[in-house]
């Protein structure tokens, strides 16, 4: 409601109230802006600031873009990025495929669906470190996993000690933990498909596949893209599982970017290089996200 | 969400742009997880006319140090102490920040000995403020490790022109000890090992003859774990890792032979999957009898001697770390207490008195009663029965070798560990691994002006 402005208003309090009313939208937005600055703009700005310094044994010195040049021209960073990309592709593909499949199953008339849904969320609420410790026990030589897969593999599997297997040994717990997230989101989308639309398709004689492609998928397409983007970003910054299970080994086969970043920052104390890597990772994540959104023709 | 990694690096570099660092991948010689910050950083003050000395210590042993201060040192010296107990990573960060901004948040700081090369220049010489330190009773190795530059060790270029000065006193006399399952050794007719050859010979018999048991296990994970495991073997067979000119000395014939012993012989008597082992796997294997021998810090003994947690608790024995061709070389891992050089003169004197009282015989006897790890000859000799591992620790400590005294040790051990791990999983040959490690390590040193 717009107050009547009295040309003869002089009371400061009233002027103040009018000013507040005129700028109310900014006041209401302020808390969110503060949070945005504190947890988004400031860390990125700070990282940018640190990235132009080199931290050595005698202190720090300004180096401009040297950190960026050094990291981008050294093979080690690209090796780590490639390992991270492999992890991302494997984990996201499995999580999204399994998650969608489970969502479809849960969306049909399944007995004890509520119970299954509840139990299915449990991995999601466990901390990644605890998940890693749990799977470390399962990966023990001669342990539960070896018992289960032994008939297929003919013997124990060197889950964490073979460079050929170790990356899979990281993918599996990530899939175990994060597939429920995909399932939850996709299931929510499936349940939002109006019954009358589905029934109309049935009455029009559309087959199962046709109904899936032309009726169901359009409703969940944006959610699937969203969940893929969330998982792409999530897998690119995997750390706890790597740290607990492999420390980047064996033979560097699981040396993801976040592991390198951790070492630079918290082992070597070189915040310049660590910040540079973090910003580069952010750029790559944004590029992939943008590209994927563009390809899927989804707008958020 | 994408700013998570960025934010972590950025926020950790806060506080005036100084560094913060988690120093250990789990091989901290004293710091365990647990304690929260029990005090804030306040400026010094007197309490009831007494001087207040503020300390920052690491959780685990830090609580014991605090108890000793409260129960004995305060009344002996006539000061009040305020102790802030921090997890290892946070302690490093706080100390780095404090020294970086040259303030007196804490008067006395605890530090892991690998931190000394980085922080020594910020510590006040202890002998400037106190006389009559009982140095004849303090084990030499624990005095040397608190001296900068460290006697008998290669000195970084920026410290070569400095005379050795005592900058910190030992607070926790940690060193690697060797844990052996006597039952398994008896079953194969072997005595407790004194040399690495004994370990291999006995271990081979155990692995071949006793189902479900293996002769040895190392921490094989890439980086700090495997380097820490290898250090005792490498130093005892191949000698020092670096020459006085900081040239890598482990890629020669004896270095490769030592690596071969570790990566072939000891691996052959280790459980499958040892390349992924960290200390928890070694400890649990020792506790349940699947592993007959392995290196441990004293902190591991509490689990091994717990009858509820260790099936083999009755059969666990502790001996000094075995000898190689050159010598025995247990890894030394002392926690040290040093005086902040930015503290006022009066507070420095009070801090020095606190340290002198802390290392006194009376205080150390009490410290052992509280469960502390000693570092005085007389404390060990008069309290040998206090813990079953004291005798082994006493023997190890007197032969202990510190990790190379350079602020670049973290990078060096990761580079070394990566190659050792690669050779352990047969991704590279042993000689290639040591040569590559040498090249990478010398490159790190070169980039930091060690060869200029």
């Amino acid at each position: 409601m717009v107050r009547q402005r009295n040309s003869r208003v002089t009371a400061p309090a009233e002027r103040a109230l009018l000013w507040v009313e005129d700028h109310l939208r900014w006041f209401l937005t302020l808390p969110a802006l503060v949070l945005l600055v504190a947890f988004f703009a400031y860390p990125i700005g700070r990282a940018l600031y640190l990235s132009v310094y080199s931290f050595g044994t005698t202190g720090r010195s300004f180096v401009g873009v040297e950190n960026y040049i050094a990291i981008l021209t050294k093979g080690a960073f690209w090796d780590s990025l490639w390992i991270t990309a492999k992890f991302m592709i494997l984990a996201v593909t499995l999580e999204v495929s399994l998650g969608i499949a489970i969502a479809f199953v849960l969306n049909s008339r399944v007995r004890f669906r509520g119970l299954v849904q509840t139990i299915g969320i449990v991995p999601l609420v466990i901390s990644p470190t605890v998940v890693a410790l749990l799977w470390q026990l399962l990966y023990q030589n001669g342990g539960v996993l070896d018992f289960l897969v032994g008939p297929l593999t003919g013997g124990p599997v060197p889950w964490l000690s073979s460079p050929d297997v170790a990356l899979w040994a990281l993918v599996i717990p990530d899939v175990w933990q994060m597939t429920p997230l995909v399932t939850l989101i996709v299931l929510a989308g499936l349940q939002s498909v109006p019954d009358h639309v589905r029934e109309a398709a049935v009455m029009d004689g559309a087959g199962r596949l046709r109904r899936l492609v032309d009726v169901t998928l359009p409703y969940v397409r944006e959610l699937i893209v969203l969940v893929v983007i969330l998982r792409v970003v999530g897998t690119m910054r995997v750390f706890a599982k790597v740290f607990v299970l492999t420390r980047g080994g064996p033979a560097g086969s699981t040396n993801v970017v976040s592991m390198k970043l951790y070492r630079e920052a918290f082992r070597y104390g070189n915040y310049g290089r660590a910040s540079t890597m973090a910003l580069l990772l952010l750029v790559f994540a944004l590029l992939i996200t943008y590209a994927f959104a563009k390809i899927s023709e989804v707008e958020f | 969400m994408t700013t998570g990694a960025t934010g972590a690096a950025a926020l950790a570099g806060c506080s005036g742009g100084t560094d913060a660092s988690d120093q250990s991948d789990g091989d901290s010689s004293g710091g365990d997880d647990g304690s929260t910050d029990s005090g804030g950083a306040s400026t010094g003050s007197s309490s009831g006319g007494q001087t207040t000395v503020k300390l920052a210590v690491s959780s685990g042993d830090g609580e014991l140090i605090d108890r000793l201060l409260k129960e004995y040192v305060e009344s002996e010296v006539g000061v009040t102490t305020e102790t802030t107990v921090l997890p290892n990573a946070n302690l490093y960060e706080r100390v780095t920040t404090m020294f970086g901004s040259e303030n007196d948040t804490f008067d006395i700081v605890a530090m892991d000995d690998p931190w000394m090369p980085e922080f020594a220049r910020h510590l006040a010489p202890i002998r400037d403020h106190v006389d009559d330190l009982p140095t004849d009773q303090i084990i030499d190795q624990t005095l040397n490790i608190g001296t900068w530059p460290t006697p008998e060790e290669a000195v970084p270029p920026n410290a070569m022109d400095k005379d050795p000065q005592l900058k910190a006193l030992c607070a926790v006399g940690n060193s690697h000890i060797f844990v052996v399952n006597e039952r398994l050794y008896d079953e194969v007719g072997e005595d407790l090992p004194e040399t690495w050859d004994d370990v291999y010979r006995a271990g081979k018999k155990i692995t071949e003859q006793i189902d479900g048991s293996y002769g040895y296990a190392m921490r094989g994970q890439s980086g700090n774990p495997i380097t820490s495991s290898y250090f005792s073997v490498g130093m005892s067979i191949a000698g020092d890792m670096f020459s006085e000119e900081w040239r890598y000395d482990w890629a020669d014939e004896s270095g490769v032979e030592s690596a071969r012993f570790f990566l072939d012989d000891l691996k052959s008597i280790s459980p499958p999957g040892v390349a992924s082992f960290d200390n928890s796997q070694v400890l649990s294997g020792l506790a349940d009898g699947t592993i007959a021998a392995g290196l441990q810090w004293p902190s591991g003994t509490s689990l091994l001697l717990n009858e509820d947690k260790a099936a083999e608790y009755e059969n666990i024995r502790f001996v000094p770390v075995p000898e190689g061709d050159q010598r025995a070389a247990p890894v030394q891992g002392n926690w040290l207490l040093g005086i902040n050089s930015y503290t006022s003169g009066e507070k420095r004197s009070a801090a020095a008195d606190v340290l002198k009282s802390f290392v006194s015989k009376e205080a150390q006897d009490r410290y052992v009663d509280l469960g502390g790890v000693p570092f005085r000859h007389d404390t060990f000799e008069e309290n040998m029965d206090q813990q079953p591992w004291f005798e082994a620790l006493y023997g190890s400590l007197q032969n202990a070798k510190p990790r190379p005294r350079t602020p670049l040790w973290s990078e060096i051990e990761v580079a070394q560990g990566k190659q050792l791990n690669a050779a352990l999983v047969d991704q590279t040959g042993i000689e290639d691994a040591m040569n590559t490690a040498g090249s990478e390590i010398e490159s790190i040193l070169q980039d930091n002006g060690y060869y200029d």
Side-chain angles (χ1 to χ4, degrees):
Chain A
M1 185 182 82
V2 176
R3 291 170 68 95
Q4 289 286 343
R5 290 177 193 259
N6 188 333
S7 60
R8 291 191 295 149
V9 165
T10 55
E14 204 162 329
R15 279 204 300 276
L17 279 172
L18 280 172
W19 185 86
V20 168
E21 195 177 323
D22 286 343
H23 296 86
L24 191 60
R25 62 185 183 278
W26 296 112
F27 285 111
L28 293 176
T29 316
L30 200 59
L33 277 176
V34 167
L35 288 174
L36 197 66
V37 167
F39 294 109
F40 184 78
Y42 177 76
I44 291 183
R46 185 73 185 168
L48 266 168
Y49 170 75
L50 291 174
S51 70
V52 296
Y53 284 88
S54 173
F55 291 76
T57 54
T58 52
R60 66 173 178 173
S61 54
F62 179 79
V63 294
V65 297
E66 262 181 47
N67 283 332
Y68 292 91
I69 294 170
I71 286 168
L72 290 171
T73 54
K74 276 191 182 161
F77 175 74
W78 294 105
D79 290 340
S80 287
L81 199 59
W82 173 229
I83 292 168
T84 309
K86 279 197 288 189
F87 175 82
M88 177 189 77
I89 293 166
L90 290 171
V92 174
T93 306
L94 286 170
E95 286 163 17
V96 172
S97 313
L98 280 172
I100 292 175
I102 295 170
F104 272 97
V105 168
L106 290 176
N107 194 43
S108 59
R109 284 198 186 90
V110 176
R111 279 182 93 173
F112 307 118
R113 178 166 73 182
L115 181 64
V116 171
Q117 265 178 262
T118 306
I119 293 173
I121 291 173
V122 168
L124 199 54
V125 302
I126 303 175
S127 116
T129 306
V130 173
V131 169
L133 289 168
L134 177 68
W135 280 87
Q136 191 179 58
L137 289 172
L138 293 174
Y139 283 141
Q140 268 182 0
N141 187 260
V144 172
L145 276 186
D146 279 341
F147 176 76
L148 291 173
V149 306
L152 298 170
T153 57
V157 177
W159 298 101
L160 300 175
S161 55
S162 165
D164 299 324
V165 181
L167 194 65
W168 283 102
L170 294 177
V171 168
I172 293 169
D174 199 72
V175 170
W176 178 81
Q177 182 176 30
M178 302 311 293
T179 300
L181 175 69
V182 177
T183 303
L184 275 178
I185 293 174
V186 173
L187 182 60
L190 291 174
Q191 290 180 340
S192 72
V193 177
D195 287 337
H196 69 271
V197 173
R198 225 194 320 255
E199 285 161 8
V202 171
M203 285 172 63
D204 286 345
R208 279 193 120 126
L209 188 59
R210 197 71 194 272
R211 290 204 305 271
L212 173 68
V213 173
D214 291 335
V215 175
T216 307
L217 276 183
Y219 276 92
V220 297
R221 192 167 70 95
E222 283 178 0
L223 285 175
I224 291 176
V225 170
L226 171 68
V227 86
V228 168
I229 288 172
L230 286 176
R231 289 314 304 137
V232 162
V233 168
T235 50
M236 283 187 80
R237 58 190 185 94
V238 65
F239 174 73
K241 295 178 181 84
V242 178
F243 186 85
V244 172
L245 289 170
T246 62
R247 299 281 172 93
S253 59
T254 61
N255 199 25
V256 295
V257 174
S258 53
M259 195 69 209
K260 270 189 85 64
L261 193 159
Y262 158 81
R263 284 206 172 107
E264 287 291 344
F266 300 110
R267 293 303 307 281
Y268 312 153
N270 195 334
Y271 279 88
R273 262 202 301 243
S275 298
T276 308
M277 276 192 221
L279 287 169
L280 288 172
L281 194 64
L282 173 63
V283 167
F284 284 119
L286 288 173
L287 283 173
I288 293 172
T289 305
Y290 178 75
F292 194 74
K294 256 314 198 212
I295 291 167
S296 5
E297 293 173 357
V298 164
E299 283 180 19
F300 292 105
Chain B
M1 197 180 297
T2 59
T3 61
T6 319
L11 289 173
C14 276
S15 306
T18 51
D19 305 337
S21 173
D22 177 346
Q23 194 63 9
S24 169
D25 276 350
D27 190 34
S28 165
S29 43
D32 294 323
D33 297 331
S35 286
T36 54
D37 187 340
S38 59
S42 55
T43 54
S45 62
S46 293
S47 168
Q50 283 188 332
T51 303
T52 301
V53 175
K54 302 184 302 303
L55 297 95
V57 296
S58 175
S59 58
D61 293 296
E63 283 89 347
L64 298 180
I65 292 172
D66 185 40
R67 276 187 68 186
L68 182 65
L69 293 172
K70 296 285 188 292
E71 291 177 15
Y72 179 78
V73 174
E74 278 187 349
S75 55
E76 280 297 302
V77 178
V79 299
T80 304
T81 58
E82 276 179 22
T83 307
T84 303
V85 183
L86 298 163
N88 190 305
N90 297 102
L91 175 64
Y92 183 86
E93 183 185 337
R94 293 284 284 270
V95 171
T96 306
T97 307
M98 180 181 74
F99 286 148
S101 45
E102 297 183 0
N103 68 52
D104 61 352
T105 311
F106 300 107
D107 304 308
I108 295 175
V109 290
M111 57 186 71
D112 207 355
D113 69 87
W115 306 356
M116 267 294 281
E118 189 177 348
F119 294 138
R121 61 195 169 103
H122 301 289
L123 300 175
I126 291 180
R127 293 190 199 278
D128 285 358
H129 301 282
V130 74
D131 300 319
D132 300 330
L133 283 173
T135 51
D136 57 327
Q137 283 299 328
I138 296 177
I139 294 172
D140 285 344
Q141 277 73 5
T142 67
L143 274 177
N144 287 347
I145 210 169
T147 302
W148 186 254
T150 306
E152 298 168 24
E153 300 294 327
V155 178
N158 63 359
M160 274 186 177
D161 57 348
K162 294 182 171 33
D163 291 326
Q165 287 184 307
L166 184 64
K167 292 292 193 87
L169 286 171
C170 185
V172 181
N174 269 342
S175 162
H176 266 165
I177 52 178
F178 206 65
V179 182
V180 183
N181 186 313
E182 191 173 35
R183 174 183 66 81
L184 294 172
Y185 268 63
D186 284 346
E187 275 187 41
V188 298
E190 287 284 340
D191 294 329
L192 297 181
E194 292 180 358
T195 68
W196 284 109
D197 287 339
D198 293 343
V199 173
Y200 176 60
R201 186 184 62 250
K204 198 160 180 293
K205 288 184 184 176
I206 291 169
T207 307
E208 289 168 356
Q209 297 173 22
I210 304 178
D211 242 359
S213 288
Y214 298 88
Y216 183 76
M218 73 274 280
R219 296 167 65 197
Q221 248 186 24
S222 183
N224 159 275
I226 193 171
T227 304
S228 176
S229 270
Y230 177 64
F231 197 76
S232 291
V233 175
M235 295 287 286
S236 66
I237 297 176
D240 285 346
M241 189 177 185
F242 293 104
S243 67
E244 281 189 12
E245 295 78 31
W246 289 95
R247 289 295 174 183
Y248 185 77
D249 263 354
W250 276 357
D252 60 8
E253 195 179 324
S254 64
V256 171
E257 179 52 34
S258 168
R260 192 205 59 73
F261 174 75
F262 183 76
L263 297 166
D264 275 348
D265 294 346
L266 290 182
K267 179 188 171 184
S268 71
I269 59 171
S270 296
V274 73
S276 64
F277 277 21
D278 201 352
N279 197 50
S280 56
Q281 286 96 332
V282 176
L283 207 49
S284 66
L286 289 167
D288 65 19
T290 51
I291 296 168
L295 292 163
Q296 280 295 314
W297 295 108
S299 57
T301 60
S302 56
L303 182 143
L304 294 172
L305 296 173
N306 186 322
E307 62 179 284
D308 294 326
K309 293 182 182 172
E312 294 287 317
Y313 77 98
E314 282 180 322
N315 301 311
I316 296 291
R317 300 290 176 265
F318 305 97
V319 297
V321 171
E323 290 179 18
D325 297 334
Q326 301 260 349
R327 50 169 290 167
V331 176
Q332 189 173 358
N334 300 148
W335 278 92
L336 307 166
L337 291 172
I339 301 171
N340 183 356
S341 66
Y342 308 110
T343 289
S344 70
E346 182 201 339
K347 297 288 285 300
R348 266 188 258 161
S349 294
D353 289 338
V354 166
L355 292 186
K356 182 179 171 184
S357 175
F358 180 85
V359 302
S360 67
K361 182 180 183 314
E362 295 75 20
Q364 285 300 302
D365 284 342
R366 287 169 186 261
Y367 190 48
V368 164
D369 289 337
L370 292 173
V373 182
F375 46 86
R376 287 178 60 113
H377 289 287
D378 48 11
T379 311
F380 270 110
E381 286 157 6
E382 294 172 19
N383 295 280
M384 202 62 83
D385 295 335
Q386 190 87 294
Q387 298 283 358
W389 42 272
F390 266 11
E391 195 170 345
L393 178 64
Y394 189 41
S396 283
L397 206 46
Q398 294 178 85
N399 285 313
K401 280 289 286 182
R403 288 154 281 198
R405 313 302 280 156
T406 168
L408 301 169
W409 173 243
S410 291
E411 287 187 64
I412 291 170
E413 73 174 345
V414 167
Q416 178 72 74
K418 187 176 152 194
Q419 295 305 320
L420 286 172
N421 179 262
L424 191 64
V425 297
D426 300 322
Q427 280 286 293
T428 181
I430 292 171
E431 193 168 347
D432 285 340
M434 299 311 280
N435 282 327
T436 305
S439 299
E440 288 181 6
I441 289 168
E442 288 194 350
S443 177
I444 292 168
L445 295 169
Q446 170 87 44
D447 290 344
N448 283 273
Y450 273 58
Y451 303 136
D452 293 342

